[in-house]
Amino acid sequence: MLHVDSPGPPREQADRGSRASLRGRALRRTPLTLALAVAVAALALLPLGYIAWYTADIGWAGVRELVFRPRVGELLWNTTRLVVGTVACCAVLGLAAAWLVERSSVPARRVWHVLLVAPLAVPAFVNSYAWISLLPGLDTYAGALLVVTLSYFPFVYLPLAAAFRGLDPALEETARGLGLSGWAVFLRVQLPQLRVALLGGSLLVALHLLAEFGALQMLRYPTFTTAIYDQYRATFNGPGATMLAGVLVLLCLVLLVAELRLRGRRGYARTGRGAARPVRPVALGSFTAPVLAGLGALVALALLVPLGSLGYWMLAGAATPLDWAALAGTTGTTLALAAAAAVGTTALALPTGWLAVRARGRLSTLLERSTYLGSAVPGIVVALALVTLSVRATPWLYQTVPVLLAAYAILFLPRAIVTVRSAVEQTTPLYDDVAASLGSGAGDRLRRVTLPLLAPGIGAGAALVFLAVVTELTATLLLAPTGTTTLATAFWSASSALEYGAAAPYAVVMVLLSAPATVLLSSDARRGLTT
């Protein structure tokens, strides 16, 4: 008779397994993890805290004197009309392009999708350089509207294209069966379901535009960001720059609240069983040629003009010998800073992303949202806050690499947190519980179980932060240590001196380094398209 040794009575085994499970769950929100997440949130909110403290310090009389004056009103008008105009243009272009690629019979849909995402590989200040170097008279509101629209419309196109693919065409077929026209189906069935994607993309455009410095400074279009930079250069950390930064932060908060209110709580997800029907593309017929001409014009303006301009200035500057050593050194510095920022920012994102999934609750949600709020602050405000705080509190840290890396972390934390949280969501806590039941300590489980499972998400977040740092300009200009030059700052110095040929190589390297992120975005969203 076969005898099997039993580790103990069933009740004892159950109690032991229950204790191990509870132990594993308890370790998912250790005091150390919570303390690290709180520290990360405090870092992210540092610029906002600085602006609030400075405002309270100078009092209402100081605020009234610095804010309620004609110059601020002029900047508010310039900034507001540019944001409204750009968001409207990007919404129209993004919505039309997404519908054509996802729902129409336009030829070569895969190719058009890639071409419509490709402008993201060209930083906005490089796009501005390309246009202003060819058309010096473009320094008007119309010129600024053109350049920033061509730079930012993919932010609206991408979420809308994904939203179109998620719509169930059965609803549209039912509406047509009830006698609604194609335009009525779009307005009454499709557009309400696209509202979240449209508002989210528009919010991204507006926040990017409020933070934009290089493109608008090159176009000589004054906004709050360019005025803050000018004030900083004139008076270092004077109250005028800080109060302008406070107004800019207030505009960002207004946008965030407005987007939440407009989005509402209504849901549009399918709840029925079964697979969604395949989409039947709308035949364009005689409109095919005009549509192709329109898409071609959009791609030519957004992509071919900047790339053609870079090619032209590379050839025009060929007469002047290129300093390959300077280019290689600057590229190496940029890559080193980007790698350090990617590692540091992703490490900071780990405790917040972990708590957001493994210890759901009001506190973890508050900590996670704090990082998003901090990143919504424009880069020039982050830099101004860190400059002032480092000069006053720790002068020995002023213009050092740690302060610059802290600015990168504040600006790009959400990019890492989103991917880390997604990886944690897809990883079952069972493995951690099993390791805990076998006596493995918290540090050992982190090294042997948790980190290997989260590696894909950690790698994706690090890559996003790396590519963002490569093209970051504003914070780097204000915080980079003396003698430290990145691709963005070297390009800025040459282009500001109207040395377009000397600036072109740095812009080309930035575009080449930005291309992988664009390829990843387009390849993921390209799935499901047919030629």
Side-chain angles (χ1 to χ4, degrees):
M1 184 175 182
L2 183 65
H3 176 72
V4 179
D5 292 332
S6 174
R11 182 182 297 277
E12 181 181 343
Q13 297 179 44
D15 291 342
R16 185 181 304 168
S18 177
R19 287 195 299 270
S21 179
L22 288 173
R23 182 186 175 196
R25 279 195 289 272
L27 288 174
R28 289 173 205 157
R29 194 175 76 177
T30 62
L32 177 60
T33 305
L34 186 59
L36 290 174
V38 170
V40 170
L43 174 65
L45 294 176
L46 195 61
L48 289 175
Y50 162 73
I51 297 296
W53 169 81
Y54 198 95
T55 303
D57 186 57
I58 66 173
W60 171 247
V63 172
R64 184 174 54 193
E65 179 182 354
L66 293 171
V67 173
F68 295 96
R69 52 195 176 101
R71 176 57 176 165
V72 176
E74 178 186 347
L75 294 173
L76 182 61
W77 165 245
N78 287 343
T79 304
T80 302
R81 68 171 179 159
L82 186 61
V83 168
V84 172
T86 303
V87 168
C89 292
C90 289
V92 172
L93 290 176
L95 184 58
W99 185 88
L100 288 172
V101 170
E102 297 293 337
R103 288 305 176 94
S104 77
S105 61
V106 65
R109 295 163 62 197
R110 287 176 178 263
V111 175
W112 286 117
H113 174 76
V114 175
L115 293 176
L116 290 168
V117 178
L120 291 178
V122 183
F125 58 90
V126 173
N127 199 8
S128 177
Y129 147 86
W131 280 93
I132 202 69
S133 63
L134 297 177
L135 300 173
L138 209 62
D139 53 347
T140 62
Y141 169 75
L145 181 63
L146 171 68
V147 172
V148 294
T149 297
L150 294 176
S151 299
Y152 293 146
F153 82 87
F155 286 123
V156 180
Y157 166 79
L158 272 172
L160 282 174
F164 266 117
R165 285 193 303 276
L167 299 185
D168 188 351
L171 299 175
E172 302 158 29
E173 294 173 7
T174 301
R176 292 191 184 94
L178 294 174
L180 295 181
S181 64
W183 184 246
V185 169
F186 173 77
L187 291 178
R188 299 178 61 179
V189 179
Q190 292 181 337
L191 191 58
Q193 299 180 81
L194 300 172
R195 182 173 63 175
V196 173
L198 181 59
L199 289 174
S202 299
L203 178 64
L204 278 178
V205 171
L207 291 177
H208 273 78
L209 190 53
L210 287 179
E212 183 58 53
F213 163 72
L216 300 178
Q217 183 81 344
M218 198 169 293
L219 290 166
R220 292 185 287 277
Y221 184 83
T223 63
F224 279 109
T225 307
T226 62
I228 292 170
Y229 182 78
D230 293 338
Q231 284 274 342
Y232 170 82
R233 295 295 299 271
T235 61
F236 187 54
N237 59 339
T242 305
M243 285 301 95
L244 289 178
V247 177
L248 189 57
V249 168
L250 186 61
L251 289 177
C252 292
L253 296 178
V254 168
L255 283 175
L256 292 171
V257 173
E259 191 269 343
L260 287 174
R261 294 294 300 271
L262 291 173
R263 182 195 302 176
R265 297 184 177 180
R266 185 180 302 177
Y268 295 98
R270 294 178 71 245
T271 56
R273 294 184 178 181
R277 302 181 186 180
V279 176
R280 183 180 303 172
V282 177
L284 295 176
S286 59
F287 291 100
T288 301
V291 164
L292 289 175
L295 289 175
L298 179 59
V299 170
L301 293 174
L303 188 62
L304 297 185
V305 168
L307 295 183
S309 176
L310 291 178
Y312 169 78
W313 287 111
M314 286 289 290
L315 295 175
T320 303
L322 176 62
D323 191 344
W324 289 101
L327 179 61
T330 302
T331 303
T333 301
T334 304
L335 295 179
L337 285 174
V343 172
T345 304
T346 308
L348 291 176
L350 281 172
T352 304
W354 179 267
L355 290 179
V357 178
R358 292 290 190 259
R360 300 180 190 271
R362 293 182 178 179
L363 179 58
S364 58
T365 301
L366 178 63
L367 294 175
E368 182 190 16
R369 298 295 171 86
S370 297
T371 63
Y372 297 152
L373 186 61
S375 70
V377 178
I380 196 165
V381 178
V382 173
L384 183 63
L386 292 180
V387 164
T388 306
L389 291 174
S390 62
V391 167
R392 293 186 176 184
T394 54
W396 50 275
L397 275 178
Y398 173 61
Q399 281 196 321
T400 59
V401 171
V403 175
L404 180 59
L405 295 179
Y408 291 151
I410 293 172
L411 291 170
F412 306 128
L413 256 174
R415 303 185 185 216
I417 288 177
V418 166
T419 55
V420 169
R421 174 172 180 165
S422 176
V424 177
E425 290 274 12
Q426 297 173 359
T427 303
T428 175
L430 176 64
Y431 301 114
D432 190 69
D433 291 342
V434 172
S437 68
L438 295 175
S440 179
D444 192 50
R445 295 204 309 276
L446 177 67
R447 178 178 59 87
R448 301 179 60 184
V449 179
T450 304
L451 290 182
L453 290 174
L454 301 182
I458 293 174
L464 288 175
V465 174
F466 180 91
L467 292 170
V469 171
V470 165
T471 59
E472 205 288 323
L473 174 63
T474 314
T476 309
L477 278 176
L478 272 63
L479 296 173
T482 303
T484 301
T485 305
T486 66
L487 290 170
T489 58
F491 165 82
W492 179 255
S493 298
S495 59
S496 298
L498 301 183
E499 298 174 359
Y500 296 130
Y506 298 99
V508 169
V509 176
M510 280 190 291
V511 171
L512 292 177
L513 292 176
S514 301
T518 305
V519 171
L520 289 175
L521 285 172
S522 61
S523 62
D524 181 66
R526 204 166 53 215
R527 296 172 185 172
L529 289 179
T530 60
T531 56

